[in-house]
Amino acid sequence: MDQFVINLLFVGASFALYIGIAIWARAGSTSEFYAAGRGVHPVTNGMATAADWMSAASFISMAGLIAFTGYDNSSFLMGWTGGYVLLALLLAPYLRKFGKFTVSEFIGDRFYSPTARLVAVICLIVASVTYVIGQMTGVGVAFGRFLEVSNTTGLLIGACVVFAYAVFGGMKGVTYTQVAQYCVLILAYTIPAIFISLQLTGNPIPALGLFGDHVASGEPLLAKLDQIISELGFAEYTTHHADTLNMVLFTLSLMIGTAGLPHVIMRFFTVPKVADARWSAGWALVFIALLYLTAPAVGAMARLNITELMWPNGTDNEAVSIQMIENEPQYDWMATWQKTGLLDWEDKNGDGKIQYYNDASEAMQAKAAENGWQGNELTNFNHDILVLANPEIANLPSWVIGLVAAGGLAAALSTAAGLLLAISSAVSHDLIKGQINPNISEKGELLAARIAMAVAIVVATYLGLNPPGFAAQTVALAFGLAAASIFPALMMGIFSTKVNNRGAVAGMLAGLIVTLVYIFLHKGWFFIPDTNSFTDADPLLGTIQSTSFGAIGAMINFAVAYIVANMTEETPQEIKDLVESVRIPKGAGAATADH
């Protein structure tokens, strides 16, 4: 059967499942739309949270960034998993006990201020829209490849699918859809990894195979990888080369950004009890670990496979010929991905070969001059394609390729739906009902939520056509914004009675504005290409890149909040009592019902 037909079967069957579940679990009330009626089991919620969390950045992009950088990009793994520990211990149970629908509602009530609630809505929308851009980037990559259309067309198709099941299902529909999506994406990620680990190391467990021996050479896999890429002028895979300060700040930004992301926190409002919120976070970490322990192996093994395909007889011999690329079955994936515009090559010196090497390396420049090479001829290898192309690169069966197609789309669409739900809840529940029209009917509020979600899809799709980076890099910017604006407000709201409404508002605005300006200076104003003044290769402040600045923004937020709070009136006693009651774990079985 043709690969295109197989892809359509897998993708079509998975979409039919998702849309069927969304229809079956369609939200009929605001409680079901925002919090799934608060009746989701902790294991179910943990699995849905994992799917909500493991986005296009985790499934599609993260392994690609690790593959082409190595150890230095392990900070993605450390930051994103560490953030769940913070979330489980410091935020989830307390926010669940408070018993509201949204993060903005908690901030508004805790800081006894409609203005604080409004600022929280703005922070949430800015972070969530930035995050959705990364998801739509991944959607475009996945649809473009597996429907064999351009990246732009794939993105537009994906936007329509997200609209179909997220707008109507609400949190209730999204929850059970995400459970199905988790099952699809984890099988799609681990099955190819098992195949490839067996091929290269003989070990069926990829995480163990990563530290095993390469079957063909008998030497350790990582040592083999270090050797072959070093010979091509690239930095050793297992060595730390990046700036340590930036790496620490980046990891911290991802951690506290994780704990401050509204679409993840919202999931803990859906369980019956406070204890269930802790268990949900624990189960989510287990389900996430299944993929995150596999990702480093996927990256390393894919990098080795790609390099050996480009130099089939070793780096001391000739590179792959154009004739081989056009005629040998193991190179069919290159022609397929070239159609998407995300992979390309050029025979610059006209020798009929495609030399892949680091042409910025002085040692390789000397070797290139000696051999008549005129630069790296693998001119475009978008890091976001690596996981999706991996089964084809490793020459795995067609059904595995089809499964990966469904998994990549499940990852991107599940998180996109969660983010859009967070945005719509902020607009309809916190902005319209909370600020503009408190007397709006439940039917009117649901309609407003769905309109807000539709508008958010349009904006994210437009920005996704020209994203400020690869999917995981764009998502990292969103984490920085959440870290700088939302996380400090939540922490101070739960653990400090000293911070008042003025301090919270000033802190959130300071953290958000400073971080947003720093990002725009490096990525372009409002992510418009060529409007940036600096680059992450040459940042404004020392070695601190735009993706790492969220940790600095959080420090500014905390500092400003405490300074302003100490200069203004004290927090009212009833709010202090409220904070103390939220921190007491007993008597928190039922949520408050006054909204």
Side-chain angles (χ1 to χ4, degrees):
M1 188 182 295
D2 182 69
Q3 183 64 58
F4 180 73
V5 176
I6 293 173
N7 293 343
L8 283 180
L9 288 175
F10 273 90
V11 173
S14 63
F15 279 8
L17 175 64
Y18 305 151
I19 293 173
I21 291 173
I23 294 172
W24 166 72
R26 181 173 179 176
S29 66
T30 52
S31 177
E32 289 184 341
F33 190 91
Y34 296 135
R38 302 196 195 277
V40 181
H41 191 277
V43 177
T44 303
N45 195 48
M47 192 175 292
T49 303
D52 202 355
W53 169 248
M54 290 191 294
S55 60
S58 292
F59 188 101
I60 295 175
S61 190
M62 181 175 62
L65 290 174
I66 294 173
F68 287 94
T69 301
Y71 171 83
D72 290 327
N73 270 348
S74 62
S75 48
F76 281 100
L77 298 170
M78 294 184 289
W80 283 341
T81 51
Y84 259 87
V85 178
L86 291 180
L87 189 59
L89 295 177
L90 300 180
L91 295 181
Y94 305 110
L95 291 174
R96 175 60 190 88
K97 185 180 179 184
F98 199 81
K100 299 298 183 180
F101 280 147
T102 67
V103 171
S104 307
E105 193 172 15
F106 166 79
I107 291 175
D109 287 2
R110 158 58 185 89
F111 294 109
Y112 52 99
S113 168
T115 304
R117 185 173 182 175
L118 177 61
V119 172
V121 169
I122 294 170
C123 295
L124 182 152
I125 291 175
V126 170
S128 296
V129 168
T130 305
Y131 203 147
V132 175
I133 296 169
Q135 305 318 301
M136 300 312 289
T137 301
V139 167
V141 172
F143 269 108
R145 161 60 187 93
F146 294 111
L147 296 180
E148 298 185 8
V149 295
S150 70
N151 187 46
T152 299
T153 303
L155 194 155
L156 296 175
I157 294 171
C160 294
V161 173
V162 173
F163 181 86
Y165 78 84
V167 170
F168 296 107
M171 180 61 85
K172 184 180 179 184
V174 165
T175 294
Y176 295 104
T177 301
Q178 286 174 336
V179 170
Q181 286 169 328
Y182 176 80
C183 295
V184 172
L185 75 86
I186 199 65
L187 288 173
Y189 202 89
T190 54
I191 287 176
I194 290 169
F195 271 106
I196 295 169
S197 182
L198 282 169
Q199 284 180 354
L200 294 179
T201 69
N203 194 318
I205 303 175
L208 299 179
L210 178 64
F211 299 99
D213 292 337
H214 186 239
V215 170
S217 65
E219 59 185 309
L221 178 82
L222 289 174
K224 171 72 173 176
L225 180 57
D226 275 343
Q227 175 197 344
I228 193 171
I229 64 175
S230 296
E231 290 172 351
L232 296 174
F234 296 103
E236 285 191 349
Y237 194 84
T238 57
T239 306
H240 174 47
H241 302 282
D243 178 75
T244 301
L245 172 63
N246 183 73
M247 188 175 183
V248 170
L249 289 175
F250 180 60
T251 305
L252 180 60
S253 181
L254 292 181
M255 286 181 66
I256 62 178
T258 297
L261 280 174
H263 78 289
V264 173
I265 294 173
M266 282 180 66
R267 292 238 51 91
F268 300 105
F269 299 154
T270 66
V271 293
K273 298 179 298 184
V274 171
D276 294 336
R278 286 194 191 275
W279 279 108
S280 291
W283 279 110
L285 198 53
V286 170
F287 292 127
I288 290 167
L290 294 178
L291 188 146
Y292 274 37
L293 289 173
T294 305
V298 170
M301 293 174 185
R303 180 73 181 276
L304 183 60
N305 275 336
I306 291 165
T307 308
E308 290 186 328
L309 279 172
M310 299 309 295
W311 295 90
N313 299 309
T315 55
D316 291 332
N317 295 293
E318 291 186 337
V320 64
S321 68
I322 294 177
Q323 184 179 7
M324 288 182 68
I325 292 175
E326 292 176 347
N327 297 300
E328 296 290 334
Q330 65 263 39
Y331 294 95
D332 287 348
W333 65 276
M334 294 184 68
T336 304
W337 279 100
Q338 189 183 37
K339 295 175 184 176
T340 67
L342 301 173
L343 177 72
D344 208 358
W345 57 93
E346 178 188 356
D347 183 13
K348 296 178 180 178
N349 61 351
D351 66 351
K353 309 254 183 329
I354 300 298
Q355 285 89 22
Y356 164 60
Y357 65 99
N358 181 12
D359 52 14
S361 164
E362 291 185 9
M364 291 306 295
Q365 287 172 358
K367 184 176 179 179
E370 181 183 335
N371 290 281
W373 302 344
Q374 296 183 8
N376 175 35
E377 295 180 339
L378 187 62
T379 53
N380 182 24
F381 194 115
N382 188 295
H383 297 174
D384 287 347
I385 76 173
L386 184 131
V387 169
L388 300 178
N390 219 10
E392 299 167 273
I393 295 169
N395 200 27
L396 299 184
S398 297
W399 66 269
V400 178
I401 299 172
L403 180 62
V404 170
L409 294 171
L413 296 175
S414 61
T415 303
L419 287 163
L420 292 166
L421 187 61
I423 293 169
S424 69
S425 299
V427 172
S428 62
H429 190 67
D430 294 310
L431 185 59
I432 296 177
K433 185 173 183 177
Q435 304 279 334
I436 299 173
N437 183 11
N439 298 318
I440 189 173
S441 66
E442 185 169 291
K443 184 176 180 181
E445 189 179 350
L446 275 176
L447 178 61
R450 285 168 172 148
I451 292 173
M453 192 180 286
V455 172
I457 291 173
V458 173
V459 172
T461 302
Y462 173 76
L463 293 174
L465 294 172
N466 291 291
F470 301 119
Q473 292 172 326
T474 305
V475 165
L477 296 175
F479 278 74
L481 291 168
S485 59
I486 300 172
F487 175 77
L490 294 176
M491 287 294 293
M492 291 183 290
I494 294 170
F495 295 103
S496 174
T497 58
K498 293 183 178 180
V499 179
N500 60 15
N501 55 353
R502 296 176 185 270
V505 169
M508 283 189 290
L509 286 175
L512 177 67
I513 292 170
V514 170
T515 305
L516 201 56
V517 168
Y518 197 83
I519 288 172
F520 285 161
L521 285 171
H522 292 76
K523 298 296 184 181
W525 291 92
F526 303 99
F527 301 132
I528 298 172
D530 302 321
T531 60
N532 58 302
S533 303
F534 303 90
T535 67
D536 282 331
D538 184 22
L540 170 61
L541 296 179
T543 58
I544 302 173
Q545 298 180 3
S546 60
T547 49
S548 307
F549 194 79
I552 303 294
M555 297 176 197
I556 293 172
N557 187 329
F558 278 116
V560 169
Y562 275 102
I563 290 171
V564 172
N566 285 328
M567 294 172 62
T568 52
E569 68 275 5
E570 191 176 351
T571 304
Q573 186 59 45
E574 62 269 22
I575 299 299
K576 292 182 179 180
D577 295 339
L578 174 67
V579 173
E580 292 298 330
S581 69
V582 167
R583 289 209 301 263
I584 297 172
K586 294 181 180 180
T592 58
D594 54 319
H595 296 100

